[in-house]
Amino acid sequence: MCADPAAERPAVKLVLCWHMHQPEYRDSRTGHYALPWTYLHAIKDYVDMAAHLEAEPRARAVVNFAPILLEQIEDYAGQLKAFLQEGTRPRDPLLDLLAAEHPPRDPDQRLELAQACVRANRRRFIDPHAPYRVLAEMVTWLREHPEYVDYQGDNFFFDLVTWYHLVWLGETVHRSDPRIRSLLEQGRDFTPAQRRLLLEVIQGLLEGLLGRYRRLAEAGRVELAFSPYAHPILPLLLDMDSAREAMAEAALPEAGDYPGGEARARWHLQRGMEVFERIFGQRPRGCWPSEGAVSDAALHLLAKEGLRWAASGEGVLTHSLQRQGEEDLSGSRRWLYQPYRFDDSDLTLFFRDDGLSDAIGFRYADWHGDDAVANFIHHLEEIGRAWEQDHAGEDRSAVVSVILDGENAWEHYPANGYYFLSALYRRLAEHPEIQLTTFSGCLDGPPRQSLPHVVAGSWVYGNLETWVGDADKNRGWDLLIRAKQRVDEVRRSGRLSREEESAVLRQLAVCEGSDWCWWFGDYNPGGTVGLFDRLYRLHLARLYHLLGEHPPRELSQAISRGGGEPATGGVMRPGRKSGD
């Protein structure tokens, strides 16, 4: 807890918070998955992150899950169990190919599957493995000469999909499972029995994954937290105009405010806590609001739901303190390294150290693991020294919040971050002036400074421009708002049964997720934008079908085409603009 005796008080309390989330990739009508990222990140990143925490008993961390992700992990585990026990075909194209007796015969399907099987970090996943590298080069050639895809034999597709899944397994699995090491060493001509063996490994990892996190939490080694059910941007659901608190001139959707936004925000919180409690056997004490997006209205809602803490980005805090009249936010930055009490509520707020968080997410991938950890610890020591100078004699430590995506950074590191994460937990646990803890572990202690008002924003740039303001993003909102208006009209008509209404509200939640507007915009890579654009419109069309209506014609037209590079957009974005 944060009220340690002064003689034993460390200079720094460090909270490492890893956020795990993926949007809904399933078609709710068929149960088929459009994209494989949920199970691939599960068998690579979520597995490895659990293993690193299990390997260092002195480590502590917060792991935050989006509930809609948890449901998909359960679904994948059930799918593969049904295949292995009953022969039921998996509802994911890549798992189905791994399980198949023959690849599909349609040339377009064959080429699409081949291209999907090289959708990975070339430097870290493909190039280190000579057999896979050759297969990937063949796919590149086929992309340029698609008329020859029929000349590829079955073994080409089966070796390709086997390699794809082998490299997407976590590094801790590569090191600990002799079955996987044997397949990696063999390299080619994988038999049906070997592909089934790989499916058994994947199924076991998926089925046991959430239980591993639950056991870590029950042992007091991890605090589990959650985001609202389908990962919506709460401030925009509650008040579209909140975007202008940090961006005064922001263009807003033509359709206006989101209708019934407070009820929808409450639905996401309550449904999210229900899913969390069912899976982990406890109610969460804290919340990483989707993308750290907060506003006064959003935080009051979290407090009403009984949550004890929430976290957001450094930019939100600087904007909020400046709005209160604080001018000098340089120096030791003591304003960042302390919890805040929100208004007059029981909700405690923590704010992300952008520099340290982004160093892990974006800078350290090409460093030697020991050097990166030494640099990280050096910055923490500097924070501790500055804090001690400013707070000599006080019975409190600096509280440093390092919050980042727990899944997408590691593919840019050697061995999926194995060397960095192993050294990080070990050296932090050994350090006499740094204590690894959790947000709940910092709720008790000296009185916290009150923060009566927050400027609405997120961890990205301290504002909401990633989700609103751009013409494409606003069009995405306009389509959603019109769909929500139709949902309200149909519900008022009374023609939906209780079961039908429940399905409609869940499908609406899927459409309210943050990921769709994240991808819209010309700074994102066009290929990925197209995938998420189509999926968003599929989800909206499904919502109309559940209402018993034909989708509007505008849903057949692309919302955004992208065209940027992953360095300036993509699945991860730095928390601060260059030069900030």
Side-chain angles (χ1 to χ4, degrees), residues 9 387-394:
R9 174 172 53 83
W387 181 269
E388 290 291 291
Q389 290 174 3
D390 285 349
H391 300 275
E394 295 184 24

Side-chain angles (χ1 to χ4, degrees), residues 102-114 146 149-152 154 157:
H102 302 284
R105 293 304 172 197
D106 178 77
D108 291 338
Q109 282 185 278
R110 290 163 77 89
L111 183 59
E112 184 178 342
L113 285 168
V149 72
D150 282 341
Y151 286 86
Q152 300 303 122
D154 290 0
F157 293 97

